[in-house]
Amino acid sequence: MSHPMILALLWLVVTNLTGMVPSKHRHWPQAYALIAVGLPVLVAVFVVDGVFAGLIVLLMAASVLRWPLRFFLRWLAALFRRGEGEPS
């Protein structure tokens, strides 16, 4: 098993353990830190292990960080909707 894949699985374990700890701020500071650490690991998995393994790790990360992903997709959709009425 490659080093990026080991890091991705370790990231997944840490993320799940972080989610089990009670938080007054609804885990948002932890989510930002996990995203900042997880993105380079995800890129490394794509580069070293290939697209298929990278997509599996991406799906695992999306299932764990589903609320930040949901808010990001809403923000992205609102950004594109805002630009529809403007003339090009």
Side-chain angles (χ1 to χ4, degrees), residues 43-79:
V43 170
V45 169
F46 267 103
V47 169
V48 173
D49 293 318
V51 175
F52 185 68
L55 288 175
I56 290 173
V57 172
L58 178 65
L59 288 175
M60 289 185 334
S63 71
V64 173
L65 296 172
R66 60 189 169 273
W67 282 105
L69 180 64
R70 187 173 291 172
F71 285 125
F72 175 71
L73 291 176
R74 283 184 192 169
W75 174 79
L76 207 58
L79 189 67

Side-chain angles (χ1 to χ4, degrees), residues 2-60:
S2 69
H3 292 291
M5 189 61 77
I6 292 170
L7 287 174
L9 294 176
L10 182 64
W11 180 89
L12 188 64
V13 170
V14 169
T15 305
N16 283 307
L17 291 175
T18 303
M20 291 180 198
V21 177
S23 176
K24 194 165 51 170
H25 302 288
R26 294 184 157 176
H27 299 283
W28 281 104
Q30 295 94 333
Y32 294 139
L34 289 168
I35 291 168
V37 171
L39 282 177
V41 171
L42 179 65
V43 170
V45 169
F46 267 103
V47 169
V48 173
D49 293 318
V51 175
F52 185 68
L55 288 175
I56 290 173
V57 172
L58 178 65
L59 288 175
M60 289 185 334

